[in-house]
Amino acid sequence: MTSIWLDRRTPFTSDPFEPDTRYDTVVAGAGLTGLVTALLLARSGQSVLVLEARHPGAVTTGNTTAKVTLLQGTFLSQLARQYSRKQVQAYVDGNREGQSWLLRYLEEQDVPFQRRDAYTYAASAQGTEKLREEIGAATTALLDVDYVRDAGLPFPVHGAVRMRNQAQINPLDVLDALVADIRSRGGRIVSGVRLRDVTGDSPSAVRTDRGSVRADKVVLATGIPVLDRGLYFAKLKPSRSYAAALQLQEDQAPPPGMYISVEQPTHSLRDYEVDGRNLLLVGGHGHQVGRTESEKAHLAGLLDWAGKHYPGAVTTHTWSAQDYMPTNLMPFFGKLPRGKGQIYFGTGYNKWGMTNAVAAALGISADILGGQVPWADTIHHRITSPAGAFSAVTLNAGVAARMATDWGKVSAGGRKIDGLKRGTDQAPPAPVAAGPSDAAAPPEGQGKVYRDGNRPVAVSTVDGITCRLSAVCTHLGGILHWNDNERSWDCPLHGSRFTNEGQLLEGPATKDLPEAGTA
């Protein structure tokens, strides 16, 4: 699965990695947060190194639907239930500054983007109450929104909130411009190098899988922090959602705006023009990582919904993305706890990363350079509400229960889970009784977990190659789940993901999966 943004692109050319060198700041992660932060620091005259484990845009930025909007579904009304008006206003001000900075930058760099009205729509009568609540929260936060009956969609709705003159982008065009700009200012961008740890006082030793460098400051722009200081993995719920690009029939056209539903499963729509074709992009049908019976079923549900409203549409691309949802709703950014004041991070953008990522970069760079951003200071001093605290307790109780259940199954020799059963959205607990049939190679495209002695083993067959790996996540020891859509091993605890061959893809883990029997 390759997103429309990452398709047909020339390979990224990395700068050389030079161990034992020193920089003012090392940034881990070459998505939107990392590259905007790196540019802002390079503009100030700092020497900056960006380390990217894969390639720029490999994870969330390259798999987004790329809406740059201050109307974000029903998120403001959710915030307003837990936070003061001052805190909600600070969130809006940060997103407004992030949006303004990004669009101004794209104009300066001659990077194309499209202005579109943004809509949050209700497909049911029950959903209109959420619309009214969102209008109230948006108006209180000084956003110019209105209520419309007709949103320009090819199916009936019960109303929509509209915010005019928002924007949509191709995120890889943005990253390309940032990369070139950073390099023109002396910054270096290295791909294929994964940060493993940061140790010592300033200048800290930044340890990677290819050696160490030193830096006065370190920024973690890795989706979720890959250092466990601050325990942010326990404050974030990893969510996976799906997207597709559709070539419509000649008598059809994408709707004129950017859309997202208030109902679940979420349905998101926007257009994208490429090679003379105006494609429809749809997204939604998300779930918690590693906790669904079949990821394929979620994508199929999204495509079925699109086909119902756009009959005859041809799918050109399908992909998925991972986002991190804070239990207390508000994004996290700034200094990492127990980082000795030298380590910074940004995470928890609630699927609205095109504005939040830039806002976080503006806040982080201001902290490093000694500036002050009023809205960022307000967000830093928030107090978690009882609802947010309860959400965190619930999330971590679920994680603990899942881990205990899965390992209990391993120890007791319960039934195997082969990734082949379908029918519900709740994945059953993982492994596993061992026997000759359990250890047999699964059919093409499938994976299962079984027990070999007291070891959980993950076995899969992809493109005719069978791989046997440890089924234990290298982060905190969760039992992995086979993702039948991405053909990957996903951790249901905190969202680390690995290829069928064990290479780390994303999440808080920093190490690949070992082969079975070696861990």
Side-chain angles (χ1 to χ4, degrees), residues 48 115 132 137 140 263 350:
V48 180
R115 291 285 185 179
R132 285 190 285 271
T140 300
E263 291 86 7
N350 288 291

Side-chain angles (χ1 to χ4, degrees), residues 1 237-243 264-266 283-302 319-325 351 395 402 424-427 481-486 488 490-492 494-495 497:
M1 294 174 64
K237 182 170 74 173
S239 175
R240 198 138 196 99
S241 54
Y242 300 85
Q264 296 294 326
T266 300
H285 285 242
H287 59 85
Q288 191 167 348
V289 175
R291 300 205 190 185
T292 184
E293 182 74 14
S294 171
E295 288 79 4
K296 273 187 178 179
H298 285 264
L299 177 59
L302 174 64
W319 67 96
S320 63
Q322 190 150 309
D323 296 274
Y324 298 93
M325 321 293 281
K351 302 189 179 184
L395 173 67
R402 177 70 186 234
T424 71
D425 191 43
Q426 293 298 316
H481 159 84
W482 179 249
N483 178 330
D484 63 352
N485 193 58
E486 304 275 352
S488 62
D490 298 0
C491 182
H494 304 112
R497 298 181 57 246

Side-chain angles (χ1 to χ4, degrees), residues 290 292-293 402-403 405-411 413-422 427-443 445-461 466-473 477-484 488-492 498-500 513-514 516:
T292 184
E293 182 74 14
R402 177 70 186 234
M403 190 170 190
T405 300
D406 287 357
W407 275 101
K409 291 289 184 180
V410 172
S411 300
R415 64 189 178 88
K416 75 174 183 296
I417 298 300
D418 59 10
L420 307 180
K421 295 193 175 187
R422 303 290 174 258
V432 295
S437 63
D438 298 322
Q446 297 172 3
K448 62 183 179 182
V449 175
Y450 68 94
R451 194 185 71 206
D452 182 7
N454 62 354
R455 298 174 185 266
V457 175
V459 58
S460 64
T461 303
T466 297
C467 295
R468 298 177 192 276
L469 308 164
S470 168
V472 180
C473 179
I479 301 297
L480 299 173
H481 159 84
W482 179 249
N483 178 330
D484 63 352
S488 62
W489 291 107
D490 298 0
C491 182
F498 306 84
T499 69
N500 64 295
L513 294 176

